[in-house]
């Protein structure tokens, strides 16, 4: 790397991330490495770019001007790299991706393994968990999220399917407790449920009623957990009604160990999106992963 470019990427990352520590996470280096690079850059320029205290950092007047020019210069370099990247016929490099645990293990993971076999130069680092991750803080390229996304100018989202939900129960449970005829009766009944909950927060069930209105409810429950797999097994074992993704309940429904409680006038589903940080260009390796998921994941979730 030319000496004139040394420290530039670290400087721009520190400005945009808001701290040396977050810049280090974004660049996958240590905080001290970022600090040393910027210190050497300031020494080479003979000026201070940051005003730093123990609690905050801000740009000097010279730092503001230097940042704008460096940002534009890096944008041009990114564009040049994107042109070269796009000329490749195969994906190469490392892509880091986070996804919901159960969906990841059963659906997304196998898809990505198939993609990796098609692109020998592609490396994948996969994280399976249900928590909401911060892409920049954790150095991730992509994440799959279910449900509504918050408004954010820092993220780009692409739909990759819908998780249609079904209300199901074990036949023995319904034989003992009765079978609600619809959403209205369900809300007035004394059925028990097995519910998804994370960090102490229960995820209410959502339905569309006969008039198309959204209805939310959380029936009484003896079991609340953050594992959809455990909820599936609990429902099969007769512990109560379960609201599960249709793709997850499909085998049990086909085998008869679970049955649909009632037909819904209008199915309800959570949209799945693959999100990434907004950037000047999308690397070819990342684009290949996103395109692959957008093409191959929706059919795997199509069951209603």
């Amino acid at each position: 790397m030319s000496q004139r470019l040394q420290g530039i990427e670290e400087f721009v990352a520190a400005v945009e991330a808001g701290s040396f520590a977050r810049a280090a996470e974004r660049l996958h280096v240590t905080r001290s490495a970022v600090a040393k690079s910027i210190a050497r850059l300031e020494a080479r320029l003979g000026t201070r770019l940051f005003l730093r205290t123990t609690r905050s950092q801000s740009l000097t007047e010279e730092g503001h001007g230097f940042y704008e020019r460096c940002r534009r210069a890096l944008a041009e370099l990114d564009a040049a790299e994107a042109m070269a990247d796009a000329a490749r016929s195969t994906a190469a490099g490392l892509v880091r991706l986070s996804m919901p645990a159960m969906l990841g293990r059963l659906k997304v993971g196998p898809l990505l393994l198939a993609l990796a076999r098609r692109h020998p130069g592609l490396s994948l680092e996969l994280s399976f968990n249900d928590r909401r991750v911060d892409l920049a803080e954790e150095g991730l390229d992509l994440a799959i999220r279910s449900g509504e996304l918050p408004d954010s100018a820092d993220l780009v989202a692409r739909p990759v399917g819908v998780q249609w939900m079904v209300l199901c129960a074990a036949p023995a449970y319904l034989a003992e407790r009765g079978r609600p005829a619809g959403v209205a009766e369900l809300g007035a009944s004394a059925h028990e449920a097995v519910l998804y909950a994370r960090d102490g927060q229960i995820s209410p069930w959502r339905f569309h009623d006969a008039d198309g209105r959204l209805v939310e409810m959380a029936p009484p429950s003896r079991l609340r957990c953050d594992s959809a797999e455990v909820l599936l097994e609990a429902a099969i074992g007769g512990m109560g009604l379960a609201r599960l993704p249709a793709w997850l309940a499909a085998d049990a429904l086909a085998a008869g160990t679970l049955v649909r409680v009632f037909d819904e006038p209008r199915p309800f589903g959570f949209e799945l999106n693959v999100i990434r940080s907004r950037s000047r260009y999308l690397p070819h390796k990342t684009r290949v992963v996103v395109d692959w998921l957008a093409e191959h994941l929706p059919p795997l979730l199509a069951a209603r």
Side-chain angles (χ1 to χ4, degrees):
M1 178 188 294
S2 168
Q3 185 179 10
R4 296 184 66 187
L5 293 178
Q6 290 178 1
I8 297 297
E9 187 175 14
E10 291 85 349
F11 168 65
V12 171
V15 175
E16 295 179 349
S19 72
F20 286 8
R22 289 186 176 181
E25 291 171 353
R26 179 180 297 184
L27 298 173
H28 308 297
V29 298
T30 64
R31 184 191 180 284
S32 63
V34 171
K36 289 177 182 177
S37 291
I38 293 175
R40 287 193 293 267
L41 177 61
E42 289 178 321
R44 191 169 76 245
L45 297 173
T47 187
R48 294 189 66 182
L49 301 173
F50 285 105
L51 294 174
R52 294 184 287 274
T53 69
T54 55
R55 294 188 177 183
S56 66
Q57 70 177 39
S58 60
L59 286 171
T60 62
E61 183 176 349
E62 293 82 1
H64 277 289
F66 190 64
Y67 165 70
E68 289 301 325
R69 287 167 174 78
C70 288
R71 181 182 60 81
R72 290 195 292 269
L74 288 181
E76 288 297 321
L77 288 173
D78 287 345
E81 289 181 0
M83 289 180 62
D85 209 12
R88 297 179 182 173
S89 59
T90 61
L94 174 64
V95 176
R96 296 177 172 89
L97 174 64
S98 173
M99 67 200 77
M102 191 74 174
L103 177 69
R105 289 197 299 270
L106 296 183
K107 299 296 182 181
V108 181
L111 277 182
L112 294 177
L113 294 180
L115 177 65
R117 287 192 291 270
R118 292 169 63 100
H119 297 272
L122 180 65
S123 298
L124 298 171
E125 186 175 301
L126 308 180
S127 175
F128 302 90
N129 63 77
D130 291 336
R131 63 187 177 85
R132 288 294 178 100
V133 297
D134 185 299
L135 298 181
E137 286 189 0
E138 302 192 29
L140 294 166
D141 300 292
L142 301 168
I144 296 176
R145 288 188 180 169
S146 176
E148 296 178 0
L149 295 174
D151 291 333
S152 174
D154 299 325
L155 298 175
V156 176
R158 181 170 175 183
V160 289
V162 177
Q163 287 201 98
W164 299 104
M165 306 300 290
V166 295
L167 183 67
C168 49
Y173 172 88
L174 293 177
E176 177 185 346
R177 302 291 291 268
R179 192 169 193 153
V183 177
E185 186 176 325
L186 177 63
S189 69
H191 279 277
E192 285 189 278
V194 292
L195 299 176
Y196 186 88
R198 185 175 68 241
D199 299 328
Q201 298 295 315
I202 291 174
S203 295
W205 290 350
R206 295 181 179 181
F207 299 89
H208 292 293
D209 65 14
D211 298 320
R213 293 172 300 194
L214 185 64
V215 177
E216 289 190 356
M217 62 180 66
S221 174
R222 290 193 298 126
L223 175 66
R224 296 171 292 277
C225 71
D226 62 0
S227 168
E229 188 173 15
V230 171
L231 295 181
L232 172 66
E233 293 302 320
I236 292 173
M239 287 192 65
L241 307 177
R243 188 72 163 150
L244 298 170
W247 62 264
L248 177 60
D251 288 346
L253 291 170
T257 53
L258 288 179
V259 296
R260 289 176 182 261
V261 177
F262 51 72
D263 290 328
E264 299 178 34
R266 177 182 162 193
F268 176 84
F270 292 98
E271 189 174 73
L272 281 175
N273 286 279
V274 58
I275 64 169
R276 62 180 176 86
S277 297
R278 188 178 299 276
S279 59
R280 291 175 286 270
Y281 83 101
L282 181 62
H284 180 64
K285 61 181 181 179
T286 310
R287 185 186 304 110
V288 166
V289 172
V290 174
D291 288 347
W292 182 263
L293 292 175
E295 178 181 359
H296 295 282
L297 187 55
L300 301 181
L301 307 175
R304 299 191 189 186

